[in-house]
Amino acid sequence: MALDLARTALQIDDMALAIRERDTGRRQRLHNAVTAIGAFDVERYEALRAQNEASIRYPAAVVLEPPGAAYDAPALPDDFCVAAVDGSYIDVDRHMAAQCYLINIGTVTLTYGTHPDARLESHPRLYAQDDELVVYDEANGQSQSVEGSVLSAKRTVEETAALAALVRDLPSGTPTLALTDGSLAYIGLTAGKDPPFVVRELLEDGFVAALQELHHLARSRRLAVAGYISLPGADEVVGALRLAGCGYGVEGSRRCGAPSVGRAPCDVCVGGLRDRDVFAALLQPGQRSPVFGSSSGTVAQCYGDQAVRFFYLNAGTEIARVDLPAWVADDADLLGLTHGLILDQCRRGPGYPIALMEAHEQAVVSGGDRQRFAELVEQALQNNRLPVNTSEKSRSKRLRWL
Amino acid sequence: MAVKGKTAKAHRVGEVVSASTAAFQVHCHKLYEAPPLGSLIRCGTDGSLVYGVVANILTESLDPSRKPIARGADEDSEEAVYRSNPQLTRLLATRFDAVAVGFQDSGGLHRYLAPLPPRVHSFAYRCDEGEAREFTESLEPIAVLLGAPIASQDEVVAAFLRLASRAHPDPQAFLVRAGKELAVQLIGQSQRLNAILRRLSR
């Protein structure tokens, strides 16, 4: 039987009503946030954050400059290049005949100006060797299967390594933006929560090493690196406002408006807002926010000299978040290049960076592709006279007996 | 017909991507660089050549699920749209349909359907004037084209004859001869005949 939409629709209606009720105070909170950001005392806040770093239980951005400022994009260079990557994967399926996974990386290079050009490629890679299916910890003999969130992190590592390889092949004389889809600060692994050997292999030796490779390439060329997040859900800047100005003080701010302790929101409450709500009220189309520092503990522990900064951008049709390594953010020229080229990409998109959109198109693995992949695996095993052991569950789903 | 030496890259227009004995489709190597409607082309290799007439040309998204959108509202020219969106040349494709009108094998040149279609990925070449002249010395292809299951059939016949006439030393004499052949093929269809003849004289 298909999903009973009639019964589901009633529940969706209830959900919409509940959202509307929760949203009644939103306008006031947004007003509070805009007022607070205008009067923000950076030095006082940073002192407060440093004092309370261990006890704050919500993300609160590192504020490097007055947070209410807005910047216009600088002029674009005549010739420039945008390199972008995206990836998708087929996860390990224990119901399939062979244990394996596939990562498909889409790469795009768009060259603008005197000699316009485009290169669009996809690079599928199958992982089926024993040492590819697990991450080993040689010291303790532990292992972690590469599937689910770990595979998702592995895909991000492969994307970033592919981006470095893509940039390496580009002519060094052209200003270049290397762009990835998604956050640079969070790839799905958390230091202190995920096994340390997984964090070390995938995050430190994989993702951060690829960022370092890009940093190395940037020493001999005008190269900016950024991760683009569409419809960002982060509330790190809102967290900073909360920490700086909650009516219950720093300690009480954690429970401000919390139903579990029956505490009403303070008079200047900004809780429940996302950063994008605040910057939608502050940024004109094309403008970016100031640069902030990531509050992620994983970044602090594992990223070394690749610390992550971010800004928000009014891309015309939405507020996007742009993550960038500190070495890009701290260089005014590279920061301007990032701002200008991402905005230009969004205008060409339209609405979303065209290079990322095309990288996605190269990387995407459709439902049909997944089915054909499974069939190819079975066929290859049969051709080699190997047993094709699929589960009865998988078989029953395919045959759907009446 | 001697075709050796004419398989140079300069004459190559694309590759066959689908083929039947009656017709085949060619994906052009360069966007918008299809031979004109009515052109004589050939594909395959020496000893197994199939001739076709370009019957329909289309440029569209490579991915049928992705539609091109208008991108030039702020641009000054069509060229600027492509300069500002370099990916377009990689995501659009020009293809053309060709009606099979003859073939060449060890037995010589034949102006009727080949026993087998060209292979997918065989290269397609534009025929030069010498080949076009030799192929249209006999007007048998007219009957093949008039019977082909294609849209704008009469337009294709007229375009084919107009282009072929340029390959002959006396184009007018060729068109008169072709007109007589059309009159024989289209007995009882005077309106259709006149419509094609009007297109030949322009």
Side-chain angles (χ1 to χ4, degrees):
Chain A
M1 275 294 282
L3 174 66
D4 185 340
L5 281 173
R7 291 167 75 176
T8 310
L10 289 173
Q11 297 173 53
I12 292 172
D13 282 346
D14 290 345
M15 177 183 75
L17 279 173
I19 290 173
R20 199 173 71 180
E21 279 169 24
R22 279 204 302 270
D23 208 42
T24 46
R26 189 177 171 279
R27 194 170 295 179
Q28 181 58 47
R29 294 199 302 277
L30 190 56
H31 175 76
N32 294 344
V34 171
T35 307
I37 214 166
F40 199 89
D41 183 336
V42 178
E43 275 182 36
R44 184 184 153 269
Y45 166 76
E46 280 304 320
L48 205 59
R49 201 179 59 80
Q51 281 165 19
N52 298 280
E53 203 158 12
S55 61
I56 306 167
R57 292 284 184 271
Y58 51 86
V62 179
V63 180
L64 303 162
E65 53 183 313
Y71 300 91
D72 291 319
L76 297 179
D78 293 336
D79 293 314
F80 58 88
C81 196
V82 180
V85 291
D86 196 12
S88 59
Y89 59 84
I90 298 177
D91 207 339
V92 175
D93 180 355
R94 69 182 186 86
H95 298 289
M96 210 164 74
Q99 292 301 290
C100 59
Y101 59 88
L102 179 127
I103 296 179
N104 191 34
I105 303 289
T107 62
V108 165
T109 312
L110 300 177
T111 308
Y112 299 91
T114 320
H115 303 290
D117 194 16
R119 276 179 62 190
L120 302 98
E121 293 172 2
S122 73
H123 305 272
R125 188 178 160 200
L126 183 70
Y127 297 81
Q129 303 292 328
D130 288 345
D131 61 347
E132 294 170 335
L133 294 170
V134 291
V135 180
Y136 278 116
D137 179 18
E138 281 178 20
N140 297 313
Q142 288 178 295
S143 66
Q144 166 73 52
S145 301
V146 181
E147 57 187 318
S149 61
V150 177
L151 177 52
S152 175
K154 164 98 176 154
R155 176 199 55 188
T156 308
V157 172
E158 296 303 324
E159 285 173 5
T160 317
L163 189 62
L166 199 61
V167 171
R168 207 179 303 124
D169 291 342
L170 291 176
S172 61
T174 311
T176 300
L177 171 68
L179 202 53
T180 67
D181 177 29
S183 172
L184 297 184
Y186 180 66
I187 70 162
L189 296 174
T190 305
K193 190 175 140 216
D194 288 294
F197 63 97
V198 176
V199 171
R200 189 167 54 244
E201 177 162 330
L202 291 180
L203 190 59
E204 294 173 9
D205 299 345
F207 182 68
V208 175
L211 287 179
Q212 277 162 343
E213 167 72 3
L214 285 161
H215 191 185
H216 177 73
L217 290 167
R219 291 194 176 105
S220 56
R221 61 178 71 211
R222 199 173 161 207
L223 170 68
V225 176
Y228 185 87
I229 304 152
S230 179
L231 201 70
D235 57 358
E236 280 179 273
V237 177
V238 168
L241 300 179
R242 190 171 161 193
L243 179 63
C246 180
Y248 292 114
V250 174
E251 270 302 306
S253 67
R254 267 196 290 147
R255 291 186 295 277
C256 178
S260 56
V261 290
R263 181 172 277 182
C266 71
D267 290 344
V268 290
C269 186
V270 294
L273 291 177
R274 293 191 168 107
D275 293 353
R276 68 168 194 260
D277 303 323
V278 179
F279 288 106
L282 294 173
L283 301 175
Q284 296 299 310
Q287 288 184 325
R288 71 163 172 86
S289 73
V291 170
F292 299 91
S294 168
S295 60
S296 157
T298 302
V299 170
Q301 284 181 51
C302 306
Y303 278 55
D305 60 352
Q306 300 302 309
V308 177
R309 308 261 197 265
F310 64 91
F311 63 76
Y312 286 91
L313 171 71
N314 184 334
T317 48
E318 71 166 345
I319 301 293
R321 171 169 157 150
V322 177
D323 278 8
L324 56 178
W327 54 267
V328 176
D330 295 345
D331 181 318
D333 172 60
L334 292 183
L335 177 62
L337 188 70
T338 309
H339 180 186
L341 293 192
I342 289 183
L343 183 63
D344 179 67
Q345 282 288 293
C346 289
R347 284 177 177 153
R348 292 174 202 265
Y352 183 75
I354 185 79
L356 279 182
M357 186 181 122
E358 295 304 341
H360 166 79
E361 289 294 336
Q362 292 296 315
V364 69
V365 179
S366 68
D369 290 339
R370 287 169 199 276
Q371 201 174 331
R372 278 187 289 278
F373 170 77
E375 287 164 4
L376 276 174
V377 169
E378 285 186 18
Q379 204 175 30
L381 294 176
Q382 278 168 353
N383 290 347
N384 286 282
R385 297 182 181 179
L386 289 163
V388 180
N389 298 321
T390 55
S391 73
E392 284 304 312
K393 180 178 177 180
S394 168
R395 191 166 163 268
S396 74
K397 279 185 180 175
R398 234 186 291 171
L399 297 173
R400 302 175 67 210
W401 300 121
L402 192 63
Chain B
M1 188 189 292
V3 292
K4 274 190 180 164
K6 290 173 184 170
T7 51
K9 265 190 174 175
H11 291 82
R12 198 191 290 171
V13 290
E15 282 172 50
V16 173
V17 289
S18 72
S20 71
T21 45
F24 48 91
Q25 191 174 63
V26 174
H27 183 155
C28 295
H29 283 147
K30 289 186 180 166
L31 190 66
Y32 297 125
E33 293 200 9
L37 190 75
S39 299
L40 184 68
I41 59 143
R42 74 179 136 71
C43 51
T45 50
D46 287 354
S48 175
L49 290 171
V50 176
Y51 287 87
V53 170
V54 178
N56 183 39
I57 303 165
L58 65 156
T59 298
E60 61 185 358
S61 170
L62 260 176
D63 180 345
S65 66
R66 298 183 67 190
K67 269 190 162 185
I69 57 167
R71 292 186 177 271
D74 299 322
E75 303 287 3
D76 295 330
S77 65
E78 284 176 31
E79 200 192 0
V81 174
Y82 284 88
R83 257 203 321 270
S84 298
N85 299 278
Q87 75 281 3
L88 291 180
T89 55
R90 307 277 192 239
L91 299 173
L92 295 170
T94 299
R95 300 186 180 93
F96 64 83
D97 297 315
V99 176
V101 289
F103 66 102
Q104 188 176 37
D105 59 13
S106 53
L109 181 64
H110 313 281
R111 297 173 183 85
Y112 50 87
L113 296 192
L116 292 169
R119 289 158 54 137
V120 168
H121 290 299
S122 60
F123 293 146
Y125 298 87
R126 195 182 293 123
C127 293
D128 65 16
E129 285 199 348
E131 289 173 274
R133 185 167 60 246
E134 193 175 348
F135 193 83
T136 53
E137 271 168 8
S138 159
L139 292 168
E140 287 169 273
I142 291 177
V144 180
L145 283 175
L146 287 172
I150 51 171
S152 311
Q153 201 178 46
D154 296 352
E155 296 287 352
V156 174
V157 173
F160 169 64
L161 293 173
R162 273 199 311 271
L163 287 176
S165 72
R166 294 177 198 163
H168 287 264
D170 185 347
Q172 193 55 36
F174 173 82
L175 287 177
V176 168
R177 194 158 63 88
K180 287 177 181 172
E181 178 65 22
L182 282 167
V184 172
Q185 296 288 337
L186 296 172
I187 283 175
Q189 301 180 60
S190 58
Q191 277 189 336
R192 195 177 167 199
L193 174 64
N194 286 335
I196 299 177
L197 292 177
R198 273 198 302 278
R199 282 162 174 74
L200 290 186
S201 60
R202 284 170 191 165

